[in-house]
Amino acid sequence: MKIGIIAPPWIPIPPPAYGGIEYFIDLLARELAAAGHDVVLAASGDSTCPVRRLPGFPAADAAGMGHTAHELSHVLRAYEAVAHVDVVVDNTIAGPVIARSVRLRAGVTVAHGALVPRLQEIFAAAGTTMSFVAISHHQASTARQFRFAEVIHHGIDVDAVPVGPGGEEACFVGRMSPDKGVVQAISAARSAGIRLRIAAKMREASECEYFESAVRPLLGPRVEYLGELSASEKFELMGSSCALLNPIQWDEPFGLAMIESLATGTPVVATGRGSAPEIVVEGETGFIRDDPDELAEALQRASSLARSTCRADARVRFSGRRMASDYASLFARLTARRDDMDPFTEVDAAGELEPRS
């Protein structure tokens, strides 16, 4: 199958540091290619993903993130270049609307973020051109103006993640943002009497301001901020911890850090927001608790969970190979059904086929 993948223009594929969407695109492209598909990637010119990459795209421009003209120019060029493929996988915001003017055999848009009303309007405007994939069942449940064709959980390259020995300290990995719950993590660790090491992206002005006002005053001998870590440093941190503390304070569509932690063998203690209950197997790979006191008690119990169970669960449910297989199955269904269409058949809003009345 010929598969075209469109990445946003802001960050190279794969990302040099923080970049969940870009990591997903790189892994999906590599796993689909390894499965024998002909993959072509439309991404920034400085991308290094080892699949066929379309030429002529400028280098990534993180400073332009959110600028409409920049993204539109990138997406228009991308659709022109991949229009011949069997399936287009779009990971941009503007793409679903632009796709309406392009004749596609099949198109899939992955919803990476929270389905705020404006994003739902954009997705709904795509009409029957695109099929939409949710990254968690919770995210899918929040759709009001369109329907998802499939829910496919993200995966990671589990084999590339080293298994860690565990340890007596807990860790927090994420962005320096109140939504990620770093202050709640500090509180839970202190109540549990467990030292906490924090690794967090902190580049934006709002992230720096939050750190200075809310987090720095809480640092001390038992709470350490390590900065933003490389991938290898992050896995070493997770693997040498008794638990990943993930007390998120918003309905996160998917928590990549949680499955990375499981891959190192480290259980997860999280609040029950967003995708967390879909990722953590209660009492086996972690604990879901919303009460602060219960969160601290669960953290104390985390070291009793089998690290081998965490690793095995990550390998079975959250591998890149499983993720790519799920996408390939969806692509096959979409292209087969479109091939069988007659002039009196149309695609409904979920990307499924139904006869016209």
Side-chain angles (χ1 to χ4, degrees):
M1 189 180 301
K2 294 182 178 179
I3 302 169
I5 301 178
I6 300 177
W10 322 118
I11 299 174
I13 310 298
Y18 190 90
I21 295 174
E22 291 73 24
Y23 175 86
F24 159 80
I25 293 170
D26 177 67
L27 182 61
L28 180 63
R30 289 189 288 108
E31 290 289 354
L32 288 172
H37 299 286
D38 181 5
V39 180
V40 59
L41 176 64
S44 64
D46 51 347
S47 295
T48 57
C49 179
V51 300
R52 185 159 58 95
R53 299 186 303 276
L54 294 170
F57 287 85
D61 181 13
M65 189 173 294
H67 291 190
T68 304
H70 188 165
E71 184 178 40
L72 285 173
S73 173
H74 172 85
V75 174
L76 283 168
R77 181 180 299 172
Y79 268 100
E80 181 179 359
V82 301
H84 65 286
V85 302
D86 297 313
V87 181
V88 171
V89 186
D90 195 315
N91 297 277
T92 69
I93 300 298
V97 177
I98 290 177
R100 294 191 62 173
S101 62
V102 181
R103 186 175 180 84
L104 299 176
R105 185 178 177 196
V108 171
T109 289
V110 182
H112 290 285
L115 299 181
V116 297
R118 287 182 178 177
L119 183 60
Q120 295 213 37
E121 290 176 10
I122 292 172
F123 284 178
T128 61
T129 305
M130 303 297 286
S131 297
F132 293 92
V133 171
I135 58 178
S136 67
H137 291 282
H138 181 274
Q139 183 197 46
S141 73
T142 65
R144 299 291 180 268
Q145 300 184 42
F146 68 101
R147 288 185 292 164
F148 283 103
E150 193 80 72
V151 174
I152 301 178
H153 284 148
H154 281 341
I156 60 172
D157 186 353
V158 177
D159 291 334
V161 179
V163 178
E168 297 181 353
E169 302 172 338
C171 68
F172 171 94
V173 177
R175 284 183 293 106
M176 190 60 68
S177 164
D179 289 344
K180 292 292 188 177
V182 62
V183 168
Q184 287 77 12
I186 293 172
S187 177
R190 281 184 168 165
S191 296
I194 293 175
R195 189 169 183 268
L196 179 68
R197 295 175 294 173
I198 299 168
K201 166 185 171 289
M202 189 173 67
R203 305 178 207 160
E204 311 300 325
S206 60
E207 296 167 345
C208 296
E209 291 169 5
Y210 176 68
F211 174 76
E212 292 297 336
S213 63
V215 178
R216 185 186 288 279
L218 302 179
L219 300 181
R222 305 287 293 175
V223 181
E224 181 183 7
Y225 174 58
L226 305 175
E228 182 176 355
L229 305 183
S230 67
S232 60
E233 292 170 335
K234 175 180 62 177
F235 293 140
E236 182 179 356
L237 171 66
M238 288 177 168
S240 62
S241 298
C242 64
L244 171 74
L245 255 178
N246 192 46
I248 51 174
Q249 302 297 298
W250 73 297
D251 293 328
E252 187 173 46
F254 194 85
L256 201 62
M258 290 188 280
I259 64 174
E260 291 175 333
S261 181
L262 295 180
T264 70
T266 298
V268 176
V269 178
T271 46
R273 301 288 298 270
S275 65
E278 299 173 42
I279 296 174
V280 177
V281 180
E282 176 66 27
E284 294 184 19
T285 65
F287 300 102
I288 299 292
R289 299 288 187 273
D290 292 322
D291 179 82
D293 292 335
E294 293 181 355
L295 198 67
E297 186 269 339
L299 179 58
Q300 292 175 325
R301 294 173 54 198
S303 59
S304 68
L305 300 179
R307 298 183 62 83
S308 59
T309 299
C310 297
R311 173 73 172 194
D313 188 60
R315 184 178 296 282
V316 172
R317 295 201 295 141
F318 301 115
S319 72
R321 184 174 302 174
R322 187 278 309 158
M323 177 182 72
S325 177
D326 288 350
Y327 274 97
S329 295
L330 173 62
F331 301 159
R333 294 198 302 273
L334 292 176
T335 54
R337 291 176 183 179
R338 288 180 184 271
D339 288 345
D340 291 339
M341 287 173 61
D342 59 41
F344 302 101
T345 304
E346 63 182 6
V347 184
D348 72 11
E352 301 295 338
L353 303 184
E354 59 182 15
R356 288 180 179 172
S357 56

Coordinates of all heavy atoms in Angstrom, one line a residue, residues 82-140:
V82 N 1.3 14.3 -2.4 CA 0.9 13.0 -2.0 C -0.4 12.6 -2.5 O -1.0 11.5 -2.2 CB 0.9 12.8 -0.4 CG1 2.3 13.1 0.1 CG2 -0.2 13.7 0.2
A83 N -1.0 13.3 -3.4 CA -2.3 13.1 -3.9 C -2.4 11.7 -4.6 O -3.5 11.2 -4.8 CB -2.8 14.2 -4.9
H84 N -1.3 11.1 -5.1 CA -1.3 9.9 -5.8 C -1.4 8.6 -5.0 O -1.6 7.5 -5.5 CB -0.1 9.8 -6.7 CG 1.2 9.7 -5.9 ND1 1.7 10.8 -5.3 CD2 2.0 8.7 -5.7 CE1 2.8 10.4 -4.7 NE2 3.0 9.2 -4.9
V85 N -1.2 8.8 -3.7 CA -1.1 7.6 -2.8 C -2.4 6.9 -2.5 O -3.5 7.5 -2.8 CB -0.4 7.9 -1.5 CG1 1.0 8.6 -1.7 CG2 -1.2 8.9 -0.7
D86 N -2.4 5.8 -1.9 CA -3.6 5.1 -1.6 C -4.3 5.7 -0.4 O -5.5 5.8 -0.3 CB -3.3 3.6 -1.2 CG -2.8 2.8 -2.4 OD1 -3.4 3.0 -3.5 OD2 -1.8 2.1 -2.3
V87 N -3.5 6.1 0.6 CA -4.0 6.7 1.9 C -3.1 7.9 2.3 O -1.9 7.7 2.3 CB -4.1 5.7 3.0 CG1 -4.6 6.3 4.3 CG2 -4.9 4.5 2.6
V88 N -3.8 9.0 2.7 CA -3.1 10.1 3.2 C -3.4 10.1 4.7 O -4.5 10.1 5.1 CB -3.5 11.4 2.6 CG1 -2.9 12.6 3.4 CG2 -3.0 11.5 1.2
V89 N -2.3 10.2 5.5 CA -2.5 10.3 7.0 C -2.1 11.8 7.4 O -0.9 12.1 7.3 CB -1.6 9.3 7.7 CG1 -1.9 9.4 9.2 CG2 -1.8 7.9 7.2
D90 N -3.0 12.6 7.7 CA -2.8 14.0 8.0 C -2.7 14.2 9.5 O -3.5 13.7 10.3 CB -4.0 14.8 7.5 CG -3.6 16.3 7.4 OD1 -3.1 16.8 8.3 OD2 -3.9 16.9 6.3
N91 N -1.7 14.9 9.9 CA -1.4 15.2 11.4 C -1.5 16.7 11.6 O -0.9 17.2 12.6 CB -0.1 14.6 11.8 CG -0.1 13.1 11.7 OD1 -0.6 12.4 12.6 ND2 0.4 12.6 10.6
T92 N -2.1 17.5 10.7 CA -2.1 18.9 10.9 C -3.5 19.4 11.2 O -4.5 18.6 11.2 CB -1.7 19.6 9.6 OG1 -2.7 19.4 8.6 CG2 -0.4 19.1 9.1
I93 N -3.6 20.7 11.5 CA -5.0 21.3 11.8 C -5.7 21.7 10.6 O -6.9 21.4 10.4 CB -4.8 22.5 12.8 CG1 -4.1 22.1 14.1 CG2 -6.2 23.1 13.0 CD1 -4.9 21.1 14.9
A94 N -5.0 22.3 9.6 CA -5.6 22.8 8.4 C -5.9 21.8 7.4 O -6.8 21.9 6.6 CB -4.7 23.9 7.8
G95 N -5.2 20.6 7.5 CA -5.3 19.6 6.5 C -6.7 19.1 6.1 O -7.0 19.0 4.9
P96 N -7.5 18.8 7.1 CA -8.8 18.3 6.8 C -9.7 19.2 5.9 O -10.5 18.7 5.1 CB -9.5 18.1 8.2 CG -8.3 17.8 9.1 CD -7.2 18.7 8.6
V97 N -9.5 20.5 6.1 CA -10.3 21.4 5.3 C -9.7 21.5 3.9 O -10.5 21.5 2.9 CB -10.3 22.8 5.9 CG1 -11.0 23.8 5.0 CG2 -11.0 22.7 7.3
I98 N -8.4 21.6 3.8 CA -7.8 21.6 2.5 C -8.0 20.3 1.7 O -8.2 20.4 0.4 CB -6.2 21.8 2.6 CG1 -6.0 23.3 3.1 CG2 -5.5 21.6 1.3 CD1 -4.6 23.6 3.4
A99 N -8.1 19.2 2.4 CA -8.4 17.9 1.7 C -9.7 17.9 0.9 O -9.8 17.1 0.0 CB -8.4 16.8 2.7
R100 N -10.6 18.8 1.3 CA -11.9 18.8 0.5 C -11.7 19.1 -0.9 O -12.5 18.7 -1.8 CB -12.8 19.8 1.2 CG -13.3 19.4 2.6 CD -14.4 20.3 3.1 NE -15.6 20.2 2.2 CZ -16.8 20.7 2.5 NH1 -16.9 21.5 3.6 NH2 -17.8 20.6 1.7
S101 N -10.6 19.9 -1.2 CA -10.4 20.3 -2.6 C -9.5 19.3 -3.4 O -9.1 19.6 -4.5 CB -9.8 21.7 -2.7 OG -8.6 21.7 -2.0
V102 N -9.1 18.2 -2.7 CA -8.1 17.3 -3.3 C -8.9 15.9 -3.5 O -9.6 15.5 -2.6 CB -6.9 17.1 -2.4 CG1 -5.9 16.1 -3.0 CG2 -6.2 18.4 -2.1
R103 N -8.7 15.3 -4.7 CA -9.3 14.0 -4.9 C -8.4 13.0 -4.3 O -7.3 12.7 -4.8 CB -9.4 13.8 -6.4 CG -10.2 12.5 -6.8 CD -10.4 12.4 -8.3 NE -11.2 11.2 -8.6 CZ -12.5 11.1 -8.5 NH1 -13.2 12.1 -8.2 NH2 -13.1 10.0 -8.9
L104 N -8.9 12.4 -3.2 CA -8.1 11.3 -2.5 C -8.8 10.0 -2.6 O -10.0 9.9 -2.6 CB -8.0 11.7 -1.0 CG -7.3 13.0 -0.6 CD1 -7.4 13.2 0.9 CD2 -5.9 13.0 -1.0
R105 N -8.0 8.9 -2.6 CA -8.6 7.6 -2.6 C -9.1 7.3 -1.1 O -10.2 6.8 -0.9 CB -7.6 6.6 -3.0 CG -8.2 5.1 -3.0 CD -7.1 4.1 -3.5 NE -7.7 2.8 -3.5 CZ -7.0 1.7 -3.5 NH1 -5.7 1.8 -3.6 NH2 -7.6 0.5 -3.5
A106 N -8.3 7.7 -0.2 CA -8.7 7.7 1.3 C -7.8 8.6 2.1 O -6.6 8.8 1.8 CB -8.5 6.2 1.8
G107 N -8.4 9.2 3.0 CA -7.7 10.2 3.9 C -8.1 9.9 5.4 O -9.2 9.7 5.7
V108 N -7.0 10.0 6.2 CA -7.2 9.8 7.6 C -6.6 11.0 8.4 O -5.4 11.4 8.1 CB -6.5 8.5 8.1 CG1 -6.5 8.4 9.6 CG2 -7.3 7.3 7.5
T109 N -7.3 11.6 9.3 CA -6.7 12.6 10.2 C -6.7 12.1 11.6 O -7.6 11.5 12.1 CB -7.6 13.9 10.2 OG1 -7.5 14.5 8.9 CG2 -7.2 14.8 11.2
V110 N -5.5 12.2 12.2 CA -5.3 11.8 13.6 C -5.5 13.0 14.5 O -4.9 14.0 14.3 CB -3.9 11.2 13.8 CG1 -3.7 10.7 15.3 CG2 -3.6 10.1 12.8
A111 N -6.4 12.9 15.4 CA -6.7 14.0 16.4 C -5.8 13.9 17.6 O -5.9 13.0 18.4 CB -8.2 13.9 16.9
H112 N -4.8 14.7 17.6 CA -3.7 14.7 18.6 C -4.1 15.4 19.8 O -3.5 15.2 20.9 CB -2.4 15.2 18.0 CG -1.8 14.3 17.0 ND1 -1.2 13.1 17.3 CD2 -1.7 14.4 15.6 CE1 -0.8 12.5 16.2 NE2 -1.1 13.2 15.2
G113 N -4.9 16.4 19.7 CA -5.2 17.3 20.9 C -6.6 17.2 21.4 O -7.4 16.4 20.9
A114 N -6.8 18.0 22.4 CA -8.2 18.1 23.0 C -9.2 18.6 22.0 O -8.8 19.5 21.2 CB -8.2 18.9 24.3
L115 N -10.4 18.1 22.0 CA -11.3 18.5 21.0 C -12.1 19.7 21.4 O -13.3 19.7 21.8 CB -12.3 17.3 20.7 CG -11.7 16.0 20.2 CD1 -12.7 15.0 19.9 CD2 -10.9 16.3 18.9
V116 N -11.4 20.8 21.4 CA -12.0 22.1 21.7 C -13.0 22.5 20.6 O -12.9 22.0 19.5 CB -11.0 23.2 21.9 CG1 -10.0 22.9 23.1 CG2 -10.1 23.4 20.6
P117 N -14.0 23.3 20.9 CA -15.0 23.6 19.9 C -14.5 24.0 18.6 O -15.0 23.6 17.5 CB -15.8 24.7 20.6 CG -15.7 24.4 22.1 CD -14.3 23.9 22.2
R118 N -13.5 24.9 18.5 CA -13.0 25.4 17.2 C -12.4 24.2 16.4 O -12.5 24.2 15.2 CB -11.9 26.5 17.4 CG -12.6 27.8 17.9 CD -11.5 28.9 18.0 NE -12.1 30.2 18.3 CZ -11.4 31.3 18.6 NH1 -10.1 31.3 18.5 NH2 -12.1 32.4 18.9
L119 N -11.7 23.3 17.1 CA -11.1 22.2 16.4 C -12.2 21.3 15.8 O -12.1 20.8 14.7 CB -10.2 21.4 17.3 CG -9.4 20.2 16.7 CD1 -8.5 20.7 15.5 CD2 -8.6 19.4 17.7
Q120 N -13.3 21.1 16.6 CA -14.4 20.3 16.1 C -15.0 20.9 14.9 O -15.4 20.2 14.0 CB -15.4 20.1 17.3 CG -14.9 19.3 18.4 CD -15.9 18.4 19.1 OE1 -16.8 17.9 18.5 NE2 -15.8 18.3 20.4
E121 N -15.1 22.2 14.9 CA -15.7 22.9 13.7 C -14.8 22.6 12.5 O -15.4 22.4 11.4 CB -15.7 24.4 14.0 CG -16.8 24.8 15.0 CD -16.8 26.3 15.3 OE1 -16.0 27.0 14.5 OE2 -17.4 26.7 16.2
I122 N -13.5 22.6 12.7 CA -12.6 22.4 11.5 C -12.8 21.0 11.0 O -12.9 20.7 9.8 CB -11.2 22.7 11.9 CG1 -11.0 24.2 12.2 CG2 -10.2 22.2 10.9 CD1 -9.6 24.6 12.8
F123 N -12.8 20.0 12.0 CA -12.9 18.6 11.6 C -14.3 18.4 10.9 O -14.4 17.6 9.9 CB -12.8 17.7 12.8 CG -11.4 17.6 13.3 CD1 -11.1 16.8 14.4 CD2 -10.3 18.1 12.6 CE1 -9.8 16.6 14.8 CE2 -9.0 18.0 13.0 CZ -8.7 17.2 14.1
A124 N -15.3 19.0 11.4 CA -16.7 18.8 10.8 C -16.7 19.4 9.4 O -17.4 18.9 8.6 CB -17.7 19.5 11.7
A125 N -15.9 20.4 9.2 CA -15.9 21.1 7.9 C -15.3 20.2 6.8 O -15.5 20.4 5.6 CB -15.2 22.4 7.9
A126 N -14.6 19.2 7.2 CA -14.0 18.2 6.2 C -15.0 17.4 5.5 O -14.8 16.8 4.5 CB -13.0 17.3 6.9
G127 N -16.2 17.4 6.1 CA -17.3 16.6 5.5 C -16.9 15.1 5.4 O -16.5 14.5 6.3
T128 N -17.2 14.5 4.2 CA -16.9 13.1 4.0 C -15.5 12.8 3.5 O -15.2 11.6 3.2 CB -18.0 12.5 3.1 OG1 -17.9 13.2 1.8 CG2 -19.4 12.7 3.6
T129 N -14.7 13.8 3.4 CA -13.4 13.6 2.8 C -12.4 12.8 3.6 O -11.7 11.9 3.1 CB -12.7 15.0 2.5 OG1 -13.6 15.8 1.7 CG2 -11.4 14.8 1.8
M130 N -12.5 13.0 4.9 CA -11.5 12.4 5.8 C -12.2 11.5 6.8 O -13.4 11.7 7.2 CB -10.8 13.5 6.7 CG -10.1 14.5 5.8 SD -8.7 13.8 4.8 CE -7.5 13.5 6.1
S131 N -11.5 10.4 7.2 CA -11.9 9.6 8.4 C -11.0 10.0 9.5 O -9.8 10.3 9.3 CB -11.7 8.1 8.0 OG -12.5 7.7 7.0
F132 N -11.6 10.0 10.7 CA -10.9 10.5 11.9 C -10.5 9.4 12.9 O -11.3 8.6 13.1 CB -11.7 11.6 12.6 CG -11.8 12.9 11.7 CD1 -12.9 13.0 10.9 CD2 -10.9 13.9 11.8 CE1 -13.1 14.1 10.1 CE2 -11.0 15.0 11.0 CZ -12.1 15.1 10.2
V133 N -9.3 9.5 13.4 CA -8.8 8.5 14.4 C -8.6 9.2 15.7 O -8.0 10.3 15.8 CB -7.5 7.9 13.9 CG1 -6.9 7.1 15.1 CG2 -7.7 7.0 12.7
A134 N -9.2 8.7 16.7 CA -9.0 9.2 18.1 C -7.9 8.4 18.7 O -7.6 7.2 18.4 CB -10.3 9.0 18.9
I135 N -7.2 9.0 19.7 CA -6.0 8.3 20.3 C -6.4 7.8 21.7 O -5.5 7.2 22.3 CB -4.8 9.3 20.4 CG1 -5.1 10.6 21.2 CG2 -4.3 9.6 19.0 CD1 -3.9 11.5 21.3
S136 N -7.6 8.0 22.1 CA -8.1 7.3 23.3 C -9.6 7.3 23.2 O -10.3 8.1 22.5 CB -7.7 8.0 24.6 OG -8.3 9.3 24.7
H137 N -10.2 6.4 24.0 CA -11.7 6.3 24.0 C -12.3 7.5 24.7 O -13.4 8.0 24.3 CB -12.1 5.0 24.7 CG -11.8 3.8 23.9 ND1 -12.6 3.3 22.9 CD2 -10.8 2.9 24.1 CE1 -12.1 2.2 22.4 NE2 -11.0 1.9 23.1
H138 N -11.5 8.0 25.7 CA -12.0 9.2 26.3 C -12.1 10.4 25.4 O -13.1 11.1 25.3 CB -11.2 9.6 27.5 CG -11.7 10.8 28.3 ND1 -11.3 12.1 27.9 CD2 -12.5 11.0 29.3 CE1 -11.9 13.0 28.6 NE2 -12.6 12.3 29.5
Q139 N -11.0 10.6 24.6 CA -11.1 11.6 23.6 C -12.2 11.5 22.6 O -12.9 12.4 22.3 CB -9.7 11.6 22.8 CG -9.6 12.8 21.8 CD -8.5 12.5 20.8 OE1 -8.4 11.4 20.2 NE2 -7.7 13.6 20.5
A140 N -12.4 10.2 22.2 CA -13.5 10.0 21.2 C -14.9 10.3 21.8 O -15.8 10.8 21.1 CB -13.5 8.5 20.8

